[in-house]
Amino acid sequence: MSSPSDFRFRATTAFQRYLANPLMRRLPFHTLLETTGRVSGLPRRTPLGGRRVGDTFWLVSEFGERSQYVRNIQADPRVRVRIGGRWHSGTAHLMPDDDPVARLRTLPRANSAAVRTLGTGLLTVRVDLET
């Protein structure tokens, strides 16, 4: 029998994959994270919330290492982030020792509320942007 957190993960990822993400990717100023698919080698673009602080972009993955983009980062940490309609190359770092709940308090409020509500394995990700 599956646990409530497993059901939440499956329901949320299905909603994101088939409805929310295809719509959000089309919005010209929505923040996107582009990773390289670990199996396909193709670019994978994921809409997300986060905040740029200087030459660093911070985000929190709601499902931690279960998130496909986190698994792609583990295979290849070179990423691109679209912020305000402009693409920036960078290197992503998983931050398991960072407090993701405290980090969410510093990120955009609406996205952070959704991540806290739906997430089952929060994980902070830091992207060091190339200047």
Side-chain angles (χ1 to χ4, degrees):
M1 181 177 242
S2 23
S3 69
S5 67
D6 190 49
F7 173 76
R8 188 174 5 171
F9 170 76
R10 287 185 290 118
T12 302
T13 55
F15 171 77
Q16 289 171 336
R17 181 174 296 135
Y18 299 111
L19 186 64
N21 289 359
L23 293 173
M24 301 292 263
R25 276 193 289 265
R26 287 182 164 83
L27 299 176
F29 289 97
H30 193 81
T31 303
L32 296 177
L33 175 70
E34 183 180 83
T35 59
T36 300
R38 64 192 174 282
V39 175
S40 69
L42 298 173
R44 300 296 183 198
R45 292 181 176 176
T46 305
L48 45 76
R51 173 164 284 142
R52 182 178 183 165
V53 179
D55 290 334
T56 305
F57 183 80
W58 293 92
L59 66 117
V60 174
S61 168
E62 62 199 330
F63 297 114
E65 293 185 10
R66 292 180 77 181
S67 294
Q68 297 300 316
Y69 68 87
V70 170
R71 295 172 70 192
N72 289 342
I73 288 169
Q74 289 172 321
D76 183 355
R78 293 170 301 160
V79 300
R80 292 191 324 146
V81 183
R82 187 177 75 183
I83 306 166
R86 289 191 55 223
W87 285 101
H88 305 272
S89 297
T91 303
H93 304 275
L94 305 181
M95 310 291 291
D97 294 330
D98 191 70
D99 180 350
V101 175
R103 181 68 58 191
L104 284 169
R105 287 189 214 107
T106 70
L107 302 178
R109 191 176 287 170
N111 182 74
S112 294
V115 169
R116 269 193 305 275
T117 301
L118 300 172
T120 59
L122 305 180
L123 175 65
T124 301
V125 179
R126 182 188 82 222
V127 178
D128 296 332
L129 302 172
E130 297 171 6
T131 53

